[in-house]
Amino acid sequence: MGEIVLPRRMFLWCMAVIYLTAFVSLYVQIPGLYGNEGLLPARWQLRYSGKPLVEQLLSSPTLLWLGPRLGLDTHTAMELLCLIGAALSLAATLVEAFRDSVVFFCLWVLYLSMYEVGQVFLYFQWDNLLLETGFLCILVAPLTLIRGSRGVREHDRVTFWLIRWLLFRLMFASGVVKLTSRCPTWWGLTALTYHYETQCIPTPLAWFAHQLPVWWQKLSVVGAFVIEIAVPFLFFSPLRRLRLGAFYLQVLLQVLIILSGNYNFFNLLTVTLCLSLLDDRHHKLCALSLSLLYLDSKLWSWLCYLLELVVWALVIVGTVISFDLQLDTVKKGISSRTAFTYHQFNLFLKTVTIPSIWIGVLSLTWEMVTSLFRCACVSGFFKRFWGTVQWTVFAGAAASMFAVSLVSSYDSNSRLWPGVRQAYEMVDRYQVVNSYGLFRRMTGVGGRPEVVIEGSSDGVTWTEIEFMYKPGNLSASPPMLTPHQPRLDWQMWFAALGPNTQSPWFTSLMYRLLQGKRDVIELIQSDVSQYPFHQQPPAYLRAHRYRYWFTESKRWWRRVYDEEFYPIVHLGNSFLEGMLNQYGLKDKSPPRRLSNTTVAQAVRWVRSQVRGVPAHTLIWTLIAYVFCIFVFPDQPLINNMPALFHRHFTAPHRTFLYFCFITLQKVFKHFNAFLVSSDIYC
């Protein structure tokens, strides 16, 4: 594999952007989700019993334990940590010197602190994936701020290999669980005929994708299986073009998912992991130098081409045989079916599991050996000695991470060394290594279940409460909001899949809406004036479950009534009070008094300035500004920002954002000048 300087730098930049979107997206939702009057107050997760700080951190690794020591309540401390994370990630996005191991360690600790008290609203696989990838960034990133240099290190290829191994685990597991779940839609190749309309928050393009013929939908499922199960083995190919082919297939799949569904930063994070398959020559687009790494012998070059053709031919032939692909002249398409049984697939898994682990062992060993050879070739005794010491530390860390990952990925881990399982148990709570498996089963086969909340002032006339993102209004177009994740809308989707007793937080939602808590209302509509009961809270609430389907016209949705999801309740209602007490959703102790420290006042001031701004608009505004900085470094489009703000934001919001952007421009302009004039940026 060629040099990986440019892919590594691009990977770290992308991770900074993803951290930025994750922190900003979560920050906007903190008051409604975790505030003192939110759905699941975070302070309930922290019991201040007077124990030493070290014991508190060991029991629950979160920096929120420091809140009382700073004179902050849990809600304010969460907002402060999110703001610090957003500021650090923004700095890392704009200034390469901040894409540092120390900075990424801080970002990982900050997000882990949120995760520890996030409860059901933060327990998504992409949150785990961000934490695992973020931890690997600590090993991949240079120590720029400490050493004053971001030059190439001999062990970089070893640590960057861990990103490729994580990508393999993610994609292979995501493909395998679809078949091991025995879901009839995946085995029947009909999953995509339901997926586009039943996914949590579709995009407008999902409606058009849903109209495609069934044979194309089934062929798309076949393509997804090939990309997720067969192609990942090419990640470790010694032949560069095979890895590039695997890269483009993975990116193609992720782009199609982004276009048809709102999955926040997950697909962007997966594309970022795919950068581990590239090298410097690909980034520089030096097509004429593709054969420079091969031996001079033309025979060897032709043998490599032949081997690549054989590999792709085997993939194609295996796909045709496994899914019985045939031309259908009647339907003018390609017919397909699963031509293997569940028992045969299990035998396949047992056959490839051990070899896949050994492929990882051999690939990692090769990277270690070549990196050690590079260390030995460094001129100068002290440089060579220091490089060897670094190689020893990072190679040991990479080997440990690889071994621990086998526990979560390898079902029959009884054959693993007991020390590996003990190490896994020690780091499991820090989300350093996780197991994955997305879209295990297809839901909504009989129609997309959707919970619709209705409010009334008199118990006779009922008004539907429309959410900003999730389906509700039949004529409302699906939104495009990647990379933002409206976490309440997502949990509403999960809640609709079962009875209300499986979603205790839903009772809290009904209770807060009856109380008219603005923080919770802003989770439903960021513009509170669009909320039907913004002037006076409803006296009664109820919830019904409907079945939704995409229409064949431009009306977007059609629906039929299914059943009652939550009975009519009001404040003081015996059923509501019983549910609140059963799930422990009523405050047993009053919240801490609001602090008037300078830090607390600053945090509340920032919140007052961004209140009412849709999270996806705020995120894309920041990304657009970063883009302008990079594309127009000398004359950024900050001069055109007032017109943009005037169009999309109210007066106080545009004044605050414009002030922030001008300040950032000046700060980073002077800071960049300082870095260029020093050794830090060299």
Side-chain angles (χ1 to χ4, degrees), residues 165 168-169 172-173 349-358 402-417 420-421 424 433-436:
W165 176 248
F168 173 81
R169 289 167 41 221
F172 187 71
L349 284 182
K350 293 179 180 179
T351 303
V352 303
T353 297
I354 299 300
S356 65
I357 294 176
W358 278 108
F402 172 76
V404 170
S405 70
L406 298 180
V407 179
S408 61
S409 305
Y410 183 31
D411 292 335
S412 301
N413 54 61
S414 58
R415 301 173 62 180
L416 295 174
W417 182 46
V420 174
R421 292 195 297 276
Y424 173 79
V433 174
N434 301 280
S435 58
Y436 303 99

Side-chain angles (χ1 to χ4, degrees), residues 19 56 63 67-68 102 134 154 268 339 342 375 400 635 652 654 665:
Y19 263 126
Q56 291 176 329
L63 295 179
V102 175
E154 284 70 27
L268 299 177
Y342 179 79
C375 292
S400 301
Q635 295 180 344
R654 60 175 176 261
Q665 183 192 26

Side-chain angles (χ1 to χ4, degrees), residues 565-591:
F565 182 78
Y566 207 89
I568 298 176
V569 293
H570 56 82
L571 290 178
N573 176 270
S574 59
F575 175 81
L576 179 63
E577 292 293 325
M579 296 289 282
L580 290 172
N581 292 325
Q582 178 181 347
Y583 298 126
L585 296 173
K586 296 200 72 172
D587 287 329
K588 298 180 180 179
S589 59

Side-chain angles (χ1 to χ4, degrees), residues 152-368:
V152 178
R153 303 172 300 179
E154 284 70 27
H155 61 265
D156 283 342
R157 295 161 63 93
V158 176
T159 53
F160 202 48
W161 180 92
L162 292 173
I163 306 300
R164 206 187 324 165
W165 176 248
L166 173 58
L167 176 64
F168 173 81
R169 289 167 41 221
L170 171 67
M171 299 310 301
F172 187 71
S174 297
V176 164
V177 296
K178 294 178 175 60
L179 295 175
T180 56
S181 67
R182 297 194 179 190
C183 177
T185 62
W186 287 116
W187 279 91
L189 307 181
T190 59
L192 290 185
T193 60
Y194 308 102
H195 166 74
Y196 296 114
E197 67 179 3
T198 62
Q199 60 184 319
C200 179
I201 304 178
T203 67
L205 290 178
W207 184 91
F208 295 96
H210 184 73
Q211 314 303 324
L212 295 172
V214 175
W215 71 265
W216 178 264
Q217 307 280 26
K218 298 177 71 173
L219 189 62
S220 299
V221 174
V222 172
F225 281 140
V226 173
I227 293 175
E228 292 182 344
I229 297 178
V231 172
F233 288 96
L234 301 182
F235 296 170
F236 307 105
S237 169
L239 300 180
R240 178 174 178 270
R241 280 185 292 267
L242 289 179
R243 293 196 305 273
L244 291 182
F247 167 80
Y248 283 112
L249 287 174
Q250 299 299 326
V251 171
L252 173 64
L253 177 62
Q254 300 307 317
V255 169
L256 292 176
I257 296 175
I258 291 173
L259 293 176
S260 60
N262 291 289
Y263 291 96
N264 50 80
F265 56 80
F266 168 64
N267 302 109
L268 299 177
L269 181 53
T270 305
V271 172
T272 300
L273 295 176
C274 292
L275 294 175
S276 62
L277 303 176
L278 302 181
D279 54 30
D280 286 358
R281 287 184 298 150
H282 183 269
H283 278 263
K284 294 178 180 179
L285 300 178
C286 296
L288 296 178
S289 64
L290 289 178
S291 61
L292 290 180
L293 289 186
Y294 295 118
L295 297 179
D296 294 334
S297 171
K298 292 184 178 180
L299 176 61
W300 177 254
S301 180
W302 279 105
L303 287 176
C304 290
Y305 278 111
L306 181 61
L307 182 58
E308 291 164 1
L309 290 175
V310 169
V311 170
W312 290 118
L314 288 175
V315 172
I316 295 174
V317 172
T319 303
V320 172
I321 296 175
S322 299
F323 297 98
D324 193 21
L325 301 183
Q326 297 180 9
L327 289 175
D328 190 339
T329 56
V330 177
K331 296 182 179 180
K332 296 182 180 180
I334 300 177
S335 65
S336 57
R337 67 176 183 87
T338 306
F340 52 88
T341 64
Y342 179 79
H343 176 68
Q344 290 173 328
F345 183 72
N346 268 339
L347 289 179
F348 163 78
L349 284 182
K350 293 179 180 179
T351 303
V352 303
T353 297
I354 299 300
S356 65
I357 294 176
W358 278 108
I359 289 174
V361 171
L362 294 176
S363 180
L364 178 59
T365 302
W366 172 257
E367 298 294 351
M368 288 182 175

